[in-house]
Amino acid sequence: MAQSSIITGQYVELTQTPASVGDRLFAAIIDYTLLSIYSFAMSLVAMMVLDAIGTGSDVVTISCLVALFFPVICYYPMCEIFAKGQSLGKMMLKMRVVMTDGDTPTVGSCLLRWILYPLDTFLTGFLGVAFIIFGKHRQRLGDLAAGTIVIKTSSDKYDFFSVNDFSYVQQGYVPTYPEAASLSSRQVDVILRTLYYPDYNRRGELMYRLAIKVQEYLGVQVVGKQYADVFLNTVLNDFYYYSSTIEM
């Protein structure tokens, strides 16, 4: 299975598996099926509403139709923005849209993928499919323009974690590395992705390399004989501790 190497902002290489064209087409079929069912139901609702209020006003008719079918028109960007890069079809097939650096897709990238979708499909005879098949990272034109990639997700551990997993919520917690307060949300995201990296055999190596980078970036020395995972978790706890105590 083809894989794509991602170099993060901390110069750590993470390997993701791009979704195949078959997976993406099957996810699209699921999405279109659900949208067709919704559209049929909304068509019945629209007929009943328009029959009740009358069709004398074009403005009323258009407003009613737009309100009912807005979720269909904006389905993909809404899903990718609010569901962290997943439509219902992608969710069922365990796929996700991410930025090429492994980060969560931005609002702008989701909108750009949506705007260019017709160019990848109907307007060019499904040229985007050819780009997915023959491209190195299986990106369609919209992905290339938006800086995104569709990957397979083999683990849900990173996507669903509780705030209670962090030690900083314990009463009387004393931070170890005050420098952790200077980390950005994107850098914290890299640490989280590394700690929950699905390939157990590579996770140790990635954590070790990232721990060195974090130490260099923060200018800190490891306290005691901390392993890489312990150090990174400590940095995370300290970051969240300082973030939670910032006065607004």
Side-chain angles (χ1 to χ4, degrees):
M1 183 175 292
Q3 291 187 322
S4 173
S5 295
I6 296 172
I7 305 299
T8 70
Q10 293 296 324
Y11 302 101
V12 175
E13 180 185 20
L14 299 181
T15 302
Q16 303 280 17
T17 302
S20 67
V21 64
D23 287 332
R24 294 178 69 163
L25 287 176
F26 194 25
I29 291 173
I30 294 174
D31 288 327
Y32 289 147
T33 300
L34 295 174
L35 289 174
S36 297
I37 295 172
Y38 173 85
S39 298
F40 177 74
M42 287 300 100
S43 296
L44 298 178
V45 173
M47 286 189 292
M48 290 188 292
V49 171
L50 293 175
D51 184 61
I53 66 176
T55 57
S57 173
D58 291 337
V59 175
V60 172
T61 301
I62 295 174
S63 299
C64 179
L65 293 175
V66 169
L68 290 173
F69 291 100
F70 180 79
V72 175
I73 299 172
C74 299
Y75 171 76
Y76 278 108
M78 288 175 61
C79 283
E80 292 173 3
I81 291 170
F82 296 107
K84 297 181 179 180
Q86 288 184 303
S87 65
L88 294 174
K90 289 184 177 67
M91 195 177 298
M92 293 176 66
L93 293 181
K94 296 186 179 299
M95 298 189 300
R96 183 183 302 280
V97 178
V98 298
M99 303 300 292
T100 52
D101 63 357
D103 205 353
T104 302
T106 64
V107 174
S109 64
C110 292
L111 291 175
L112 186 55
R113 293 183 81 252
W114 173 58
I115 291 172
L116 294 178
Y117 185 77
L119 184 62
D120 278 315
T121 53
F122 313 111
L123 297 181
T124 59
F126 293 90
L127 179 63
V129 175
F131 272 81
I132 296 173
I133 294 174
F134 298 108
K136 179 180 178 181
H137 301 300
R138 294 180 178 172
Q139 295 167 288
R140 62 178 176 87
L141 293 173
D143 288 317
L144 292 170
T148 57
I149 183 173
V150 180
I151 64 170
K152 294 287 290 183
T153 55
S154 57
S155 172
D156 296 327
K157 290 182 179 180
Y158 169 73
D159 300 318
F160 304 99
F161 56 87
S162 169
V163 72
N164 295 319
D165 293 335
F166 300 102
S167 300
Y168 82 93
V169 299
Q170 298 175 0
Q171 195 170 22
Y173 177 79
V174 178
T176 306
Y177 303 106
E179 296 85 356
S182 65
L183 291 172
S184 68
S185 59
R186 290 175 64 88
Q187 292 167 330
V188 169
D189 187 66
V190 170
I191 296 175
L192 279 169
R193 288 179 182 274
T194 306
L195 287 171
Y196 290 93
Y197 190 71
D199 187 343
Y200 179 80
N201 294 324
R202 291 203 62 204
R203 190 188 306 163
E205 175 193 352
L206 293 174
M207 288 191 298
Y208 175 75
R209 292 168 59 188
L210 181 59
I212 294 176
K213 290 294 182 181
V214 172
Q215 290 173 42
E216 293 175 352
Y217 178 78
L218 296 180
V220 300
Q221 296 292 327
V222 175
V223 176
K225 295 182 179 180
Q226 290 186 340
Y227 291 102
D229 60 334
V230 176
F231 169 73
L232 293 176
N233 273 300
T234 302
V235 169
L236 276 181
N237 291 328
D238 292 349
F239 170 82
Y240 285 114
Y241 171 82
Y242 287 111
S243 298
S244 66
T245 56
I246 294 176
E247 296 183 1
M248 302 301 290

